[in-house]
Amino acid sequence: MSEAPSRTLVMGILNVTPDSFSDGGDHFAHDDALTHAQQMLDEGADIIDVGGESTRPGSVRPSEDEELSRVIPVVDALADRGVTVSVDTMRSSVARAAIDHGAAIINDVSAGLADEEMLKVVAASGADYIAMHWRGHGAVMNDLAHYDDVTAEVMDELSGRIDAALAAGIPAERLIIDPGYGFAKDADQNWELLADQEHFQTLGYRVLVGVSRKRFLGELLRDAKGARPVLQRDDAAVAITTLSALQGVWAVRTHTVRQHRDAVEVVARLRTEWQQG
């Protein structure tokens, strides 16, 4: 997955959890998970991101055995079909097993901070590695949203994790970075970070953007009834995908694939016209 794509890729989210913030339980059963994965592939997903642990604020971690039992059968089945599979995990044991069963990408929201063995495990494999900005687990992350300059601090902390990954032996061409929207950041901090998103490209690595259905979108769209419900935030996320594709990010991570694939195709077509003009 390390080659530069001709357009922004679309990563479809497959939560095999009972408690994720927007679709917990919807695809928990194995057959339901595979059916939903196929639907996302049919709609144009380039990558399926399989996650067995909810990272929503206040979430409680499953046991290692539980996470493995949720994730590995799905990874195995999708990889056997030739699907490019990413696994959303903070555990090195889950990463190792997922890679052994065909996962091409490890999407670690902790960037190696939650498990000191993670970077070594990925370095010893051929998998790509997504390092996200992170300050703590879901149970405490809202208490850690303190910044003097959110963009500068996130970039600095993420640069430190890049250095750690390189030192562990992960080649630069296998690294991807994620600003971590919604993780230890309040609504205003997310918007400030998003306004500065192009700065992350200057670090020299592929960038993944994940804002699908996040709370700061619900707060933006608040009306007299309250924050916009989770399942009604998708159009706002498509707007951010369009912006991200115009900036040339590597991929966007989303619960709803078709609209985002349409957006990146529009941008790709416009880029062709701009280049020819």
Side-chain angles (χ1 to χ4, degrees), residues 123-197:
S125 76
D128 282 6
Y129 183 66
I130 302 170
M132 193 193 80
H133 176 261
W134 183 87
R135 286 185 166 181
H137 290 289
V140 300
M141 69 179 179
N142 282 347
D143 299 326
L144 304 174
H146 303 290
Y147 304 87
D148 292 322
D149 183 331
V150 63
T151 300
E153 291 174 55
V154 168
M155 289 186 69
D156 182 63
E157 292 170 26
L158 200 48
S159 293
R161 301 315 302 159
I162 291 169
D163 290 344
L166 295 172
I170 300 176
E173 63 270 18
R174 283 170 41 201
L175 279 174
I176 300 149
I177 58 174
D178 180 344
Y181 294 107
F183 288 80
K185 300 166 189 77
D186 65 24
D188 289 341
Q189 291 160 351
N190 282 308
W191 285 113
E192 184 177 343
L193 201 60
L194 186 62
D196 292 337
Q197 183 169 272

Side-chain angles (χ1 to χ4, degrees), residues 74-232:
V74 176
V75 172
D76 202 27
L78 292 176
D80 280 351
R81 298 181 186 179
V83 177
T84 299
V85 179
S86 168
V87 171
D88 180 356
T89 185
M90 293 181 276
R91 287 188 168 112
S92 61
S93 58
V94 177
R96 183 184 294 110
I99 293 166
D100 288 345
H101 284 265
I105 306 167
I106 298 301
N107 181 11
D108 178 5
V109 300
S110 82
L113 290 171
D115 184 337
E116 63 182 13
E117 295 300 311
M118 177 65 86
L119 299 180
K120 299 175 188 175
V121 166
V122 176
S125 76
D128 282 6
Y129 183 66
I130 302 170
M132 193 193 80
H133 176 261
W134 183 87
R135 286 185 166 181
H137 290 289
V140 300
M141 69 179 179
N142 282 347
D143 299 326
L144 304 174
H146 303 290
Y147 304 87
D148 292 322
D149 183 331
V150 63
T151 300
E153 291 174 55
V154 168
M155 289 186 69
D156 182 63
E157 292 170 26
L158 200 48
S159 293
R161 301 315 302 159
I162 291 169
D163 290 344
L166 295 172
I170 300 176
E173 63 270 18
R174 283 170 41 201
L175 279 174
I176 300 149
I177 58 174
D178 180 344
Y181 294 107
F183 288 80
K185 300 166 189 77
D186 65 24
D188 289 341
Q189 291 160 351
N190 282 308
W191 285 113
E192 184 177 343
L193 201 60
L194 186 62
D196 292 337
Q197 183 169 272
E198 283 185 291
H199 294 348
F200 288 89
Q201 307 269 36
T202 67
L203 294 175
Y205 297 89
R206 290 171 288 167
V207 175
L208 172 68
V209 172
V211 300
S212 186
R213 297 179 176 173
K214 295 212 168 176
R215 183 178 301 179
F216 75 101
L217 298 178
E219 289 299 323
L220 173 73
L221 303 172
R222 175 181 288 276
D223 59 19
K225 297 179 182 179
R228 181 71 62 84
V230 169
L231 299 183
Q232 296 176 24

Side-chain angles (χ1 to χ4, degrees), residues 233-267:
R233 301 172 187 172
D234 295 322
D235 291 341
V238 172
I240 295 174
T241 283
T242 304
L243 169 69
S244 299
L246 285 166
Q247 293 175 348
V249 305
W250 170 71
V252 293
R253 183 176 182 271
T254 179
H255 295 86
T256 56
V257 167
R258 181 187 57 77
Q259 302 95 313
H260 295 264
R261 179 62 187 260
D262 288 353
V264 301
E265 290 291 353
V266 168
V267 172

